[in-house]
Amino acid sequence: MSSDLCSALKEFADNLAPTQSLVNEVGRIIDRLSRHLHSDRFKWKRFINRIVPFGSYSKKSSLRIMMDLDLVVFLNDCEYPFDDFVSDLEEHIELSDSYTNCTLDGTHLFFVAEGTLNIDLLPATNRVPRSGLSQGRSPQDVQYEMTLAYILNSSNPFDEGNNQSTALTETAVAFVKRKNQLFHCSTLSRLAKFWSKTVCVEGFHSGRSSIMEYIAIRSTEREQSTGRENTLKAFRRFLTIVSNPEEMAIYWTENYKIGDVEPKIKNSRPLLLDPTNPYNNILQRKNKPFMVEMAKFARVSMNRLEEAECRALRGETVDLLSLFKPQPEWMQLPFNMRRRSQPKNFYVSVRDGGNLMMPKTVTKKSMEESDREIIENFLFSFSEVAVAGSKKKGIPNVAQKVQTDVQQMIAPGASWGPGGSLSNRDAKLEIPFTDEKGIPKILDVGFNF
């Protein structure tokens, strides 16, 4: 029955939530990073007002298997584009052995903390007066009001609205938390973000996770306006919205009035208006072609969902792997098509797990960061849904089934031998999971390139 598919989707989404021990570990990483940035060796120490998590971690909608961390460093007496700060920040981060793979892209500094956690660190201007606040006003409210006033008084509010969006993140986090309390959006948000991870659209797309979350919030709002909470119908609505970017017009008026939205922005399509900033259409510039590409994959997923519903109505077991199989297929991914960092000589095996809480990638020689991200997203998401699907079907040996699924995904129809050693591969991915008995296991995938 379709109700079984609905329950399976909800269970799968809820199981994507990080464990409390993982959340605690991320909190410890934030503390250690904060101390590093406040060290005497960093000349910008005295400019730092506060360091604030935003994104999925702070909104409590992170994915356990691909958890990352977004942080804003609010600076006193500094304005966009923060050129000197981000340059010195990159140098300071690289001083510590705890942080690797530093990449600077505009005001974004990307790096990996302690070998597992991907971090995106951004600067923003603090506009909260250091002399104190009037009674009854929170720092978040003052930051929002002062930043929005700065945007409105600028010579070009459209460009400035985009430049200042990071400074409004505290209000954006509060918006999502409020929606989660009212509509329980986190289930669909995780499902939407996971689906996005299974889809390869090459390149960095600013705010990709937030885009999925905001569309999921609107989908949940619309579904629950009928008085029901149904993960299956909400997910279908989400895919329908993504599949029609030319008709997408999403905005909220909790933080500003509809009259504050310029006709030029209100009439643009696709439109996903930042709920804190009436001048920031999140789907403008590079994100517009991104959504056009996502729409193609959403249509494929809608067809898969329809097939899954038909199977469920026939009483067949829910096949999560068929529904969430990554797109495009492995051999159609960009690095395979263009011969960049092309992985070869694969080794795939499963061993007993230890204390590894998140997937981990170790490389012996450099590879393009975009290729690394494509491989990680594909293998991490494929493995997660392969494990969940095997458990749902009651497979007696989940570890063996997952190993076989990954091998056949990489090389359909091939026969796999012992394959030598993992240690001599150029790159290796360690993916933790639990088998049908709850025993920790690790899927090892190694390859050369």
Side-chain angles (χ1 to χ4, degrees), residues 265-403:
I265 294 180
K266 188 177 179 182
N267 295 328
S268 63
R269 296 294 182 273
L271 174 63
L272 176 55
L273 201 56
D274 187 330
T276 67
N277 185 350
Y279 287 95
N280 182 28
N281 178 8
I282 303 173
L283 300 183
Q284 63 184 340
R285 299 183 177 91
K286 292 182 180 180
N287 281 341
K288 184 172 182 178
F290 161 71
M291 284 307 298
V292 172
E293 287 297 307
M294 294 294 281
K296 299 175 184 177
F297 296 120
R299 294 182 195 116
V300 173
S301 292
M302 289 178 68
N303 291 334
R304 292 179 179 180
L305 188 61
E306 184 177 352
E307 292 171 2
E309 288 187 84
C310 290
R311 290 195 297 269
L313 289 171
R314 293 196 297 267
E316 298 177 20
T317 303
V318 174
D319 188 351
L320 291 173
L321 189 56
S322 295
L323 181 56
F324 288 105
K325 185 179 179 181
Q327 303 178 63
E329 293 185 0
W330 179 262
M331 292 308 298
Q332 296 174 327
L333 291 172
F335 57 80
N336 282 319
M337 302 295 285
R338 300 175 194 171
R339 318 296 289 183
R340 308 182 323 228
S341 304
Q342 186 176 16
K344 58 185 179 181
N345 300 331
F346 274 87
Y347 174 93
V348 180
S349 67
V350 173
R351 57 185 166 90
D352 290 337
N355 297 320
L356 187 65
M357 291 186 285
M358 287 185 290
K360 181 179 180 180
T361 303
V362 179
T363 56
K364 287 186 176 180
K365 65 180 184 180
S366 63
M367 64 187 299
E368 290 194 35
E369 193 62 30
S370 60
D371 291 345
R372 176 193 178 102
E373 183 179 0
I374 289 170
I375 292 171
E376 287 180 341
N377 283 348
F378 196 103
L379 287 174
F380 293 170
S381 60
F382 182 92
S383 302
E384 177 67 19
V385 76
V387 170
S390 296
K391 290 179 179 178
K392 189 69 181 175
K393 291 181 177 180
I395 301 294
N397 190 337
V398 168
Q400 182 60 52
K401 180 66 166 61
V402 170
Q403 178 177 325

Side-chain angles (χ1 to χ4, degrees), residues 54-292:
F54 72 107
S56 300
Y57 172 80
S58 57
K59 297 170 185 173
K60 302 188 185 303
S61 56
S62 293
L63 300 178
R64 166 179 46 79
I65 56 162
M66 290 168 279
M67 193 168 182
D68 55 14
L69 178 64
D70 302 295
L71 292 171
V72 179
V73 181
F74 284 93
L75 301 169
N76 297 322
D77 307 318
C78 297
E79 292 288 349
Y80 182 89
F82 311 103
D83 290 335
D84 292 338
F85 171 77
V86 294
S87 177
D88 291 341
L89 176 66
E90 180 180 24
E91 182 179 331
H92 183 67
I93 289 294
E94 289 179 331
L95 288 174
S96 172
D97 293 336
S98 297
Y99 310 118
T100 57
N101 300 88
C102 280
T103 304
L104 187 60
D105 186 350
T107 61
H108 293 259
L109 180 63
F110 302 96
F111 57 97
V112 178
E114 302 183 16
T116 56
L117 185 66
N118 290 294
I119 296 181
D120 181 5
L121 191 62
L122 299 98
T125 302
N126 171 56
R127 303 195 187 280
V128 180
R130 282 170 280 177
S131 57
L133 298 171
S134 57
Q135 189 173 5
R137 306 195 71 201
S138 69
Q140 175 190 302
D141 291 340
V142 173
Q143 175 73 25
Y144 178 73
E145 291 171 12
M146 297 293 287
T147 302
L148 206 57
Y150 183 89
I151 294 170
L152 293 171
N153 292 330
S154 67
S155 59
N156 189 334
F158 295 101
D159 287 343
E160 202 60 57
N162 182 65
N163 296 339
Q164 299 294 326
S165 60
T166 304
L168 300 170
T169 52
E170 291 165 305
T171 303
V173 169
F175 168 83
V176 172
K177 286 183 176 179
R178 191 164 57 248
K179 291 296 182 181
N180 282 337
Q181 289 176 347
L182 291 172
F183 297 103
H184 309 290
C185 306
S186 58
T187 295
L188 184 61
S189 292
R190 286 197 178 92
L191 204 59
K193 291 178 183 182
F194 180 82
W195 174 82
S196 175
K197 291 288 188 180
T198 69
V199 170
C200 175
V201 177
E202 194 176 6
F204 170 68
H205 305 283
S206 180
R208 178 170 180 164
S209 178
S210 292
I211 291 169
M212 297 301 114
E213 183 146 47
Y214 288 142
I215 298 175
I217 288 173
R218 175 47 51 89
S219 302
T220 308
E221 285 179 326
R222 290 286 185 262
E223 192 57 40
Q224 292 192 25
S225 67
T226 61
R228 62 196 176 200
E229 184 175 345
N230 186 301
T231 304
L232 169 60
K233 292 181 178 179
F235 185 51
R236 185 192 300 114
R237 190 182 291 270
F238 164 81
L239 292 174
T240 301
I241 293 174
V242 176
S243 69
N244 292 283
E246 67 280 358
E247 298 178 8
M248 190 184 302
I250 299 175
Y251 56 87
W252 292 269
T253 55
E254 278 94 330
N255 292 306
Y256 49 77
K257 299 176 182 177
I258 190 61
D260 295 333
V261 184
E262 295 285 340
K264 174 183 176 181
I265 294 180
K266 188 177 179 182
N267 295 328
S268 63
R269 296 294 182 273
L271 174 63
L272 176 55
L273 201 56
D274 187 330
T276 67
N277 185 350
Y279 287 95
N280 182 28
N281 178 8
I282 303 173
L283 300 183
Q284 63 184 340
R285 299 183 177 91
K286 292 182 180 180
N287 281 341
K288 184 172 182 178
F290 161 71
M291 284 307 298
V292 172

